[in-house]
Amino acid sequence: MTNRSSGASTGEPVDYVDGADRRVATGVRGRRPLDGLFHRVAATVVHDGRGRVLVYRRPDLARVLPGHHDVLVGGSVRSGESYLDAAVRELAEEFAVSARPEESWREPRDSPDGPCRLAVHHWRLPADARLAPLDAEVAWHALRPLEELLARPPRPFNPVGRDALLRLARLGVLGTPGVPSVPGVPVPQ
């Protein structure tokens, strides 16, 4: 669990996995995994299906990336929890929405807590949905056009979130017909 006032870890157990994403050990959230192992992270990009994406700013006292803007809503996968279950839980905890996101890919990434296996999901926000962000997790939020976020992202911006936006746009799942034409922004492979 997270101490919502400070973002500090309170000993929540997480699984460590190998390069093939097989569970090999259990540890504590917020601590670096043993050499060669990864902790698991689930994150979701929320969009409206018409080319707008949820962007939010983390509080200045957040444990990870304080004050940064991001499009990835998520966090650590708890011990025994699936990536999908973690994505659903994180959306409910951070924005008070009941969602069933779709997984788009998994990849190894570096993170402030050491190497991780990141599962990126996407979820189309229903027109009648209302986001109710948790103040301890979200300082500000809005739906912004994808092209605007890629061409002129608010600063500072989580680079992993920007990479995810580009890749999801290329997959055509954000309500856009492919990667928007943004000068100086390379197409992800």
Side-chain angles (χ1 to χ4, degrees):
M1 264 196 193
T2 301
N3 175 330
R4 295 296 185 185
S5 62
S6 68
S9 174
T10 57
E12 181 176 280
V14 297
D15 293 331
Y16 295 139
V17 297
D18 62 16
D21 212 8
R22 294 179 299 236
R23 181 185 174 280
V24 295
T26 300
V28 176
R29 186 175 70 82
R31 295 194 186 149
R32 294 183 73 82
L34 300 171
D35 285 343
L37 299 181
F38 303 82
H39 68 278
R40 299 178 305 145
V41 174
T44 303
V45 173
V46 177
H47 63 97
D48 68 358
R50 297 185 319 254
R52 295 186 311 164
V53 176
L54 174 67
V55 61
Y56 69 99
R57 189 173 66 77
R58 297 170 186 269
D60 292 333
L61 297 177
R63 186 182 70 82
V64 175
L65 299 172
H68 279 63
H69 293 83
D70 204 347
V71 294
L72 296 172
V73 178
S76 295
V77 178
R78 294 176 179 163
S79 183
E81 188 176 42
S82 72
Y83 286 103
L84 178 59
D85 289 343
V88 168
R89 176 180 49 77
E90 291 287 345
L91 285 164
E93 287 177 359
E94 295 182 21
F95 284 95
V97 292
S98 177
R100 195 69 177 170
E102 294 181 41
E103 186 174 315
S104 297
W105 69 85
R106 293 181 194 178
E107 65 183 350
R109 294 298 295 222
D110 288 326
S111 82
D113 291 333
C116 75
R117 294 284 304 175
L118 172 64
V120 175
H121 299 76
H122 64 93
W123 178 59
R124 183 176 178 169
L125 183 69
D128 62 346
R130 298 291 171 254
L131 300 173
L134 181 65
D135 290 342
E137 298 283 340
V138 178
W140 169 89
H141 74 286
L143 285 169
R144 292 286 189 243
L146 174 62
E147 287 190 28
E148 175 186 311
L149 288 174
L150 293 175
R152 295 174 309 283
R155 303 282 183 206
F157 199 85
N158 177 5
V160 177
R162 185 177 166 97
D163 291 349
L165 278 181
L166 285 166
R167 193 163 172 188
L168 287 168
R170 185 170 184 227
L171 292 171
V173 299
L174 298 177
T176 57
V179 179
S181 174
V182 179
V185 176
V187 175
Q189 299 302 317

